[in-house]
């Protein structure tokens, strides 16, 4: 429903009532009645509970009551009330007369009360005009076109003309047409806009002030791998040669180990904080080489936390079978591999690590294993999930992390399965929902991981361009119209077929065919084929 325009000049909502609206002043009009006597129009009893000029939202309209002071109104049988011309019953209620108002529809209303005063030959007439407005105000905010990520960003929008607009709680000027414009400091991650109309109806919208995540060309390395001079040196050489502009360094890995000496209490309590590398020193070294640092957090595959929780009797922190035992994840990962994404403690633990890594200087946080385990849902229980679906619970976890990270101005990415674009319930990754709560989606479209015939490709492992190009097209479609980028994980390892520079380069071309200039290379041993990479043009 389009927002109806309700003009006003004072946003405090203190309405200046026209002089004619309250009860007429005593002796203002004198009428002759049959030549016998005089009838005076006097001040009425005053309608209580409903002010002239009031604007009510749906909640207040449903609860509003209107009364007259019985002494001032005179005898009940001499009081007549109408709402929009229809008679309203008048009922005694203690020292008051209650006007039995019917359910109030959207729009303007007029209440008229007439009666005879206790004074001789005196009567009164009172009119109350009010409006019921249940429609949330219009609020449109344009995603900013960020050309310079190092400078301030201007955001424009337009709201209903009867609305007050705030940005992160601070009111902003709005012109007569409802238009507004603000400038936020560089690096501001998300800006929360709120429009509140005269009735109190509210519309909110969160807008990324950084636009799309700038191009990422990164390679993965584990926490332990970073301590290897050769592996670290080779990746930094690719950065210095202009072929990579980011390094993906693990924060928490598939074993549940945190690579640096985390100060998150739970990480220390369960022995997860390993200190394989000095986070600040590693970040400084990568930055000095000319790259940014992506901190990968393996979220819900966490045998370290799962084992500690189970031993402590905190079984709700683990994905369970219907019988209350740890879910075995189809035999792929072990009985105590997956923590419960619906559990408050598990969610907070991962979010605390994300915030800590942001404070330490990681430029991005990239979640991995932000999903449910493989297998049929009938074999799993997620204590605390309530009425939410697994997909909704996962999405809310990512959204909560983005909110927690907001003060630190860092990007948030989400690693997802390639199948998630077409089969969101298979592992609880709803791409259409996740693009609304993250800065980028990182689909794992490794050719070796697709089954025969997927996307019409007979043998995906031997057709890297075809399978990557076709699968990424689905992700591009679901991210269309958003500021969320698609940053695919690409295969730089051999699994079945031998992958050399040609096969890696074919995947990069396939991503480019979908207008994706970003990628992250995966090789578990952190050995990458620089011959597959082109120099980044902007360097």
């Amino acid at each position: 429903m389009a927002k109806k325009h309700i003009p006003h000049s004072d946003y405090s909502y203190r309405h200046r009532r026209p002089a004619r609206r309250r009860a007429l002043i005593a002796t203002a009009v004198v009428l002759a009645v049959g030549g016998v006597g005089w009838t005076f129009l006097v001040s009425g009893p005053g309608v209580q509970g409903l002010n002239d000029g009031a604007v009510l939202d749906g909640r207040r309209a449903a609860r509003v009551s209107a009364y007259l002071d019985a002494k001032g109104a005179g005898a009940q049988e001499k009081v007549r009330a109408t709402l929009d011309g229809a008679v309203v019953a008048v009922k005694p209620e203690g020292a008051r007369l209650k006007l039995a108002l019917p359910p109030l529809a959207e729009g303007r209303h007029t209440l008229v009360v007439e009666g005879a005063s206790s004074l001789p030959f005196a009567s009164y007439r009172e009119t109350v005009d009010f409006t019921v407005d249940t429609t949330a105000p219009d609020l449109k905010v344009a995603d900013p076109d960020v050309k310079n990520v190092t400078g301030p960003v201007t955001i424009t929008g337009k709201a209903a003309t009867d609305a007050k607009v705030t940005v992160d709680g601070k009111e902003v000027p709005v012109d007569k047409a409802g238009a507004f414009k603000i400038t936020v400091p560089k690096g501001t991650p998300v800006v929360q806009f709120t429009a509140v109309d005269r009735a109190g109806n509210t519309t909110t919208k969160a807008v990324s002030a950084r636009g799309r995540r700038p191009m990422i060309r990164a390679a993965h390395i584990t926490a332990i791998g970073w301590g290897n001079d050769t592996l670290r040196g080779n990746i930094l050489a690719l950065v210095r040669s202009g072929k990579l502009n980011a390094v993906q360094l693990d924060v928490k890995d598939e074993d549940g180990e945190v690579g640096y000496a985390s100060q998150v209490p739970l990480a220390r309590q369960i022995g997860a904080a390993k200190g394989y590398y000095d986070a600040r020193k590693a970040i400084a070294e990568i930055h000095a080489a000319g790259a940014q640092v992506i901190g990968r957090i393996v979220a819900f595959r966490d045998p370290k936390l799962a084992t500690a929780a189970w031993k402590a009797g905190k079984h709700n922190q683990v994905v369970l079978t219907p019988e209350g035992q740890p879910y075995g994840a189809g035999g792929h990962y072990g009985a105590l591999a997956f923590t419960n994404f619906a559990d408050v403690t598990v969610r907070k633990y991962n979010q605390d690590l994300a915030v800590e890594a942001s404070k330490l200087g990681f430029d991005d946080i990239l979640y991995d294993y932000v999903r449910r385990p493989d297998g049929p849902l009938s074999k799993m229980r997620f204590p605390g999930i309530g009425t939410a679906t697994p997909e909704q619970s996962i999405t809310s976890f990512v959204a909560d992390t983005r909110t927690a990270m907001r003060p630190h101005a860092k990007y948030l990415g989400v690693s997802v399965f390639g199948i998630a674009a077409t089969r969101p319930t298979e592992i609880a990754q709803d791409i259409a929902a996740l693009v609304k709560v993250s800065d980028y989606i990182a689909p794992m479209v490794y050719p070796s991981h697709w089954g025969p015939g997927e996307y019409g490709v007979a043998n995906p492992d031997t057709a890297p361009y075809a399978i990557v190009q076709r699968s990424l097209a689905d992700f591009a479609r679901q991210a269309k119209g958003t500021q969320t980028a698609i940053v695919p994980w690409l295969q730089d390892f051999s699994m079945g077929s031998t992958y050399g520079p040609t096969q890696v380069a074919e995947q990069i071309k396939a991503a480019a065919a979908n207008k994706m200039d970003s990628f992250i290379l995966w090789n578990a041993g952190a050995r990458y084929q620089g011959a597959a990479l082109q120099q980044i043009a902007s360097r």
Side-chain angles (χ1 to χ4, degrees):
M1 179 185 294
K3 181 68 181 174
K4 295 180 179 178
H5 173 65
I6 303 172
H8 70 99
S9 58
D10 182 357
Y11 202 84
S12 68
Y13 302 149
R14 294 177 181 174
H15 186 83
R16 292 188 175 184
R17 306 170 54 120
R20 67 182 182 85
R21 284 301 175 206
R22 293 306 296 174
L24 296 176
I25 299 173
T27 70
V29 179
V30 182
L31 299 175
V33 181
V36 176
W38 303 92
T39 296
F40 297 92
L41 283 176
V42 300
S43 295
V47 176
Q48 303 168 12
L50 186 60
N51 294 327
D52 188 33
V55 182
L56 310 177
D57 64 7
R59 181 184 60 83
R60 288 188 293 167
R63 299 170 57 183
V64 71
S65 297
Y67 298 92
L68 303 173
D69 177 72
K71 184 177 180 181
Q76 173 193 351
E77 63 273 11
K78 293 185 179 181
V79 176
R80 183 177 186 271
T82 61
L83 179 68
D84 303 329
V87 174
V88 174
V90 180
K91 301 178 181 180
E93 190 177 273
R96 301 184 299 183
L97 297 177
K98 182 176 183 179
L99 306 181
L101 299 176
L104 298 173
E106 177 96 0
R108 294 182 181 274
H109 299 277
T110 299
L111 175 67
V112 178
V113 179
E114 301 172 290
S117 169
S118 57
L119 298 173
F121 311 115
S123 65
Y124 59 84
R125 187 177 193 274
E126 184 170 356
T127 301
V128 177
D129 285 335
F130 64 96
T131 301
V132 174
D133 179 5
T134 63
T135 305
D138 290 335
L139 176 62
K140 297 178 181 178
V141 185
D143 288 321
D145 182 13
V146 182
K147 292 184 171 63
N148 178 13
V149 296
T150 64
V153 176
T154 298
I155 306 175
T156 60
K158 190 173 184 179
T161 54
D162 71 328
K164 177 174 68 175
V165 177
T166 59
V167 177
D168 292 335
K170 184 177 180 180
E171 187 172 355
V172 297
V174 178
D175 69 17
K176 292 181 180 180
F180 57 87
K181 179 171 68 173
I182 66 160
T183 299
V184 298
K186 67 177 182 179
T188 303
V190 177
V191 181
Q192 187 80 17
F193 291 84
T194 303
V196 183
D197 66 14
R198 295 184 64 194
N201 300 303
T202 301
T203 301
T204 61
K205 184 172 182 181
V207 176
S208 171
R210 295 175 299 180
R212 292 174 66 85
R213 206 295 178 206
M215 182 183 67
I216 305 170
R217 294 192 175 180
H220 157 79
I221 189 168
T222 65
I224 293 176
W226 184 255
N228 182 291
D229 292 342
T230 300
L231 297 180
R232 182 179 71 255
N234 288 342
I235 288 179
L236 291 177
L238 291 173
V239 171
R240 295 188 180 102
S241 69
K243 292 186 174 183
L244 296 178
N245 66 359
V247 175
Q248 183 270 287
L249 177 60
D250 281 356
V251 171
K252 177 161 72 85
D253 63 17
E254 292 86 344
D255 294 325
E257 293 186 343
V258 180
Y260 57 82
S262 172
Q263 298 303 302
V264 171
L266 186 54
R268 301 186 71 81
Q269 178 185 328
I270 65 176
K274 294 301 182 181
Y276 295 131
Y277 64 87
D278 181 315
R280 293 190 186 278
K281 183 178 178 181
I283 292 167
E285 186 175 4
I286 295 169
H287 284 171
Q292 294 187 313
V293 194
I294 302 168
R296 173 174 170 261
I297 296 178
V298 177
F300 302 123
R301 180 182 170 184
D302 192 335
K304 182 69 72 175
L305 177 58
T307 300
W310 191 262
K311 287 181 178 178
K314 300 174 182 178
H315 295 179
N316 284 358
Q317 294 181 19
V318 178
V319 176
L320 301 175
T321 66
E323 296 74 32
Q325 293 302 305
Y327 177 72
H332 298 302
Y333 305 105
L336 284 168
F338 273 84
T339 54
N340 175 18
F341 55 79
D343 181 80
V344 173
T345 299
V346 172
R347 291 164 73 102
K348 187 175 186 302
Y349 175 49
N350 285 284
Q351 289 163 3
D352 285 348
L353 287 172
V355 170
E356 180 183 61
S358 297
K359 290 179 178 179
L360 286 169
F362 284 88
D363 301 288
D364 294 35
I365 300 300
L366 176 58
Y367 275 140
D368 207 344
Y369 285 86
V370 58
R371 62 177 179 89
R372 71 169 178 87
D374 313 59
L377 273 174
S378 61
K379 302 293 185 181
M380 305 175 201
R381 281 183 50 227
F382 311 106
I385 196 170
T387 59
T389 65
E391 296 77 44
Q392 291 168 337
S393 186
I394 292 291
T395 299
S396 70
F397 164 75
V398 175
D400 290 345
T401 301
R402 194 183 204 189
T403 299
M405 288 173 53
R406 184 176 297 168
H408 310 294
K410 303 303 171 77
Y411 291 102
L412 177 61
V414 182
S415 299
V416 298
F417 273 17
I419 61 171
T422 54
R423 285 165 266 177
T425 62
E426 195 157 318
I427 51 167
Q429 292 179 333
D430 184 346
I431 304 306
L434 289 170
V435 295
K436 297 176 182 177
V437 296
S438 61
D439 293 304
Y440 58 94
I441 300 295
M444 296 173 281
V445 289
Y446 313 131
S448 62
H449 285 41
W450 291 99
E454 289 276 7
Y455 285 101
V457 181
N459 185 359
D461 190 37
T462 61
Y465 180 90
I467 190 63
V468 170
Q469 189 276 324
R470 295 177 193 182
S471 59
L472 287 181
D474 269 336
F475 285 95
R477 175 178 52 81
Q478 296 203 49
K480 187 176 181 180
T482 74
Q483 291 281 69
T484 304
I486 303 298
V487 182
W489 284 99
L490 301 181
Q491 178 175 336
D492 194 353
F493 60 89
S494 298
M495 184 177 173
S497 300
T498 299
Y499 267 54
T502 299
Q503 288 74 20
V504 175
E506 285 293 294
Q507 296 172 77
I508 296 172
K509 292 176 184 177
N514 284 293
K515 298 182 179 179
M516 300 170 190
D517 57 1
S518 296
F519 57 80
I520 308 173
L521 299 176
W522 176 272
N523 180 292
R527 294 176 174 86
Y528 297 97
Q529 304 180 78
L533 307 176
Q534 301 292 322
Q535 282 199 322
I536 299 172
S538 60
R539 286 181 67 96

